[in-house]
Amino acid sequence: MYFNLHGFFVSLGIFLFGLLLDNTISYKSKLYLIDKNKNLLLQAYAYTSFNLLILNPIYYDIIEKHLITNTDEGFNFLKYFCLLIIQSAGYYLLHYLMHNNRQLRKIHKFHHKFTDVLIPSIGASVTISEYTFAYSSPFLLGSYLLNSSLITLSFAICTISLLNIIIHCNELTYLNYPKFIVSPLHHLIHHKNIPNQNTYAAPFLNIDNIIDY
């Protein structure tokens, strides 16, 4: 059986932090979603729980047993930075495909049931197929290419996960972000599905803005 305790505890921390923000800074937004469609929100929490607490530890174990040999190395900043770049580019491409390929669009449909109001935990509320295809595969590929340690991988995953939590927080849309970073407002516009304004970058490098320069 594949299940990595290190990956579980990393994911548990991310899961609990999302819940903390849901019930503090985003509490009013959470109440709105409950009133609007409680069953949809419960389904979203079910996806978040499964993706973070079951799938993540499984993929961690696959990485440790089959994709890397560098198990003793500590934190490596260069590999950490490269993992962030690989994730940003990989997710951008896969996200684009999920919006423009009819078959792949189906696995992304659930996440877009949330339009005007987002809360932090929704960041990981995607189908199992999408989580595997778009969220996990860039890290699996990056780990293999870089032979990164689990410690370095965990720092990269925590960084991306925290940014993913932030961009799904309506209460943070008023903050100004550098144009090369995906902002909560940028991502909220994406969820609104406004014609001719679709964007695909998330949650770190704003490749949409970088391309426009």
Side-chain angles (χ1 to χ4, degrees):
M1 178 180 177
Y2 287 98
F3 195 85
N4 187 285
L5 280 178
H6 174 90
F8 173 77
F9 286 118
V10 169
S11 301
L12 179 62
I14 295 166
F15 177 75
L16 293 176
F17 184 65
L19 286 182
L20 176 65
L21 294 188
D22 288 353
N23 291 284
T24 52
I25 186 173
S26 295
Y27 186 63
K28 289 184 178 180
S29 294
K30 179 184 173 182
L31 291 180
Y32 171 84
L33 292 177
I34 291 174
D35 289 338
K36 183 179 181 182
N37 191 335
K38 183 178 180 180
N39 288 333
L40 178 63
L41 183 60
L42 289 175
Q43 188 178 1
Y45 274 121
Y47 274 131
T48 296
S49 301
F50 187 83
N51 291 335
L52 291 179
L53 303 180
I54 303 298
L55 280 186
N56 259 9
I58 290 173
Y59 291 137
Y60 257 90
D61 218 28
I62 291 173
I63 288 171
E64 183 177 38
K65 291 178 178 176
H66 301 294
L67 300 182
I68 64 173
T69 59
N70 193 9
T71 56
D72 297 325
E73 183 184 59
F75 176 72
N76 184 305
F77 179 80
L78 180 58
K79 291 182 180 181
Y80 160 78
F81 182 75
C82 288
L83 280 171
L84 297 184
I85 299 301
I86 290 171
Q87 188 280 333
S88 294
Y91 183 80
Y92 182 87
L93 173 62
L94 299 177
H95 195 191
Y96 175 87
L97 291 175
M98 289 190 297
H99 276 269
N100 293 279
N101 178 280
R102 182 177 300 177
Q103 297 302 317
L104 293 176
R105 193 180 300 133
K106 296 176 183 178
I107 70 173
H108 190 51
K109 186 176 180 180
F110 177 80
H111 191 63
H112 275 276
K113 290 184 177 181
F114 298 91
T115 53
D116 297 324
V117 176
L118 309 176
I119 60 173
S121 289
I122 288 175
S125 296
V126 297
T127 63
I128 295 169
S129 298
E130 178 175 355
Y131 197 83
T132 300
F133 177 70
Y135 282 49
S136 299
S137 64
F139 283 118
L140 269 74
L141 175 63
S143 297
Y144 174 73
L145 292 176
L146 300 171
N147 196 23
S148 60
S149 66
L150 287 187
I151 293 175
T152 300
L153 172 65
S154 293
F155 271 96
I157 287 177
C158 285
T159 300
I160 293 299
S161 297
L162 292 177
L163 290 172
N164 198 34
I165 285 172
I166 289 171
I167 67 172
H168 286 89
C169 184
N170 270 37
E171 287 71 20
L172 297 180
T173 55
Y174 69 93
L175 296 176
N176 291 321
Y177 293 75
K179 285 195 172 184
F180 65 89
I181 299 294
V182 177
S183 69
L185 180 59
H186 180 96
H187 197 64
L188 179 61
I189 291 172
H190 170 74
H191 271 264
K192 289 177 181 291
N193 288 316
I194 301 173
N196 301 319
Q197 292 189 36
N198 212 351
T199 56
Y200 306 104
F204 175 40
L205 286 181
N206 196 330
I207 296 177
D208 298 291
N209 283 346
I210 294 172
I211 291 174
D212 286 341
Y213 279 139

